Amino acid sequence: MANDHITVSIWRGDADGDYQTYQVPRLESQTVLDVVTYIQREIDPTLSYRFACRVGVCGSCAMTVNGKARWTCRTHVSRVAEQGELTLDPLRNMPVVKDLVVDMAVFFDKWAKAKGAFEGGATRDDALAAISPEDPKRQQASAGIECIGCGVCHATCDVIDWNADYLGPAALNRAWTLINDVRDVSRIERLQAVAGDNGCLGCHSQQGCVERCPKFLNPTASIAGLKRETVKAVLKGELS
Amino acid sequence: MTASALRTETWLWFAQRISALVLAVCVIVHIATLIFAVQGGLSAEEIIDRIGGNALWLGFYLVFAISVAVHAPIGLKTILREMTPLTTERINLLVSLFAILVFVLGVRAAFGFYGLGGE
């Protein structure tokens, strides 16, 4: 095969499907998203995939590229196409809708289950909370706050593969940022939501999420924090 | 999930971590003694000479055996839960039986050696 083309195998169908192979012209500075877009526009308009911003802001173009979950817009072909070959699959651990599109409801439902929504206790008449950027709790929260919910960690996590009820790195990381938010008033309810084997204690610290997070976050460290806090809460008799 | 089930899962997780700490020390002492003892030739008599009738070694191996009986079944429970289609009830029954087996065998061995030596 000459270097001017790459061979791309793409998963077609839903859970029952098969790979279809395409020949795509090789271009300079070409991203995997460029490749998928070329196939849909020039070869096969029935190919389904998701993207929005194309520049690593929205996180919606995440797919499995040669076995690893990645943002395709931030993945150059030259970095991943071994011997000019690419294999593209939908993200793991979520039901496939069609081709490269997954149903992310299971992913976002887990954020809700982990009480991922902020609950404040102050009213508009109260003064603003004064929080120093150097405050240790604020720093813990800030370390995990940049998650944009792309689902790459969820697709990478083996524990979710083994136990579909496990809340997963993104939802637990979100809960950890709120546990460290001094303005939030539902600490105990949130610890209760993330406790147990389907919650933070299910994590085996394999750190696939850390390895693959496109925002370079460390969900494993967040989950370790939740483990400490839930154990402390149980020892103090706070979870009842 | 009820709060009491969450508490039980958390206690089991905590017990596994604490038993791991104890086991780390026990394994080091056990292996170090083994290496030291092998220098003079490893034999049943030699082991009984050292451990038999010695209350300190009996205490050490009781702690060791109990820690294993706590630590291993909790890990086995997670493995069975993640890797097999067994129901939670069946897994709990299996690992409870395994815990009892490990506990009985370990404690029996510790007392067995203690009874073999001494005056």
Side-chain angles (χ1 to χ4, degrees), chain A residues 12 28 41 44 50 56-57 90 96 104 113 127 129 143 146 149 153 155 162-163 179 181-182 186 202 220 224:
Chain A
R12 301 302 307 268
E28 203 183 339
R41 289 188 184 168
D44 188 348
R50 252 192 215 124
V57 174
V96 182
M104 296 186 77
K113 259 192 202 165
E146 294 293 341
C153 59
W162 300 324
N163 172 19
I179 291 284
D181 190 330
V182 291
S186 56
T220 307

Side-chain angles (χ1 to χ4, degrees), chain B residues 25-71:
Chain B
V25 175
C26 288
V27 168
I28 289 168
V29 171
H30 178 73
I31 301 282
T33 310
L34 198 71
I35 292 167
F36 173 75
V38 164
Q39 311 292 324
L42 190 64
S43 67
E45 289 86 355
E46 191 268 335
I47 296 170
I48 291 163
D49 274 350
R50 184 172 62 251
I51 297 173
N54 187 323
L56 272 178
W57 278 116
L58 173 69
F60 172 79
Y61 278 108
L62 283 177
V63 169
F64 199 158
I66 292 166
S67 298
V68 174
V70 170
H71 187 84

Side-chain angles (χ1 to χ4, degrees), chain A residues 198-211:
Chain A
N198 288 337
C200 60
L201 301 186
C203 172
H204 293 324
S205 308
Q206 288 177 205
Q207 303 182 57
C209 51
V210 184
E211 176 76 22

Side-chain angles (χ1 to χ4, degrees), chain A residues 64-113:
Chain A
T64 307
V65 182
N66 286 354
K68 288 178 180 170
R70 292 172 175 280
W71 289 351
T72 50
C73 72
R74 301 287 287 171
T75 303
H76 278 246
V77 171
S78 56
R79 260 186 27 219
V80 287
E82 296 129 18
Q83 283 97 41
E85 285 175 18
L86 274 181
T87 303
L88 304 180
D89 290 270
L91 287 178
R92 222 162 55 117
N93 297 334
M94 285 172 263
V96 182
V97 177
K98 178 177 174 285
D99 305 341
L100 298 168
V101 177
V102 291
D103 181 357
M104 296 186 77
V106 286
F107 172 68
F108 290 113
D109 285 349
K110 286 178 179 177
W111 286 54
K113 259 192 202 165

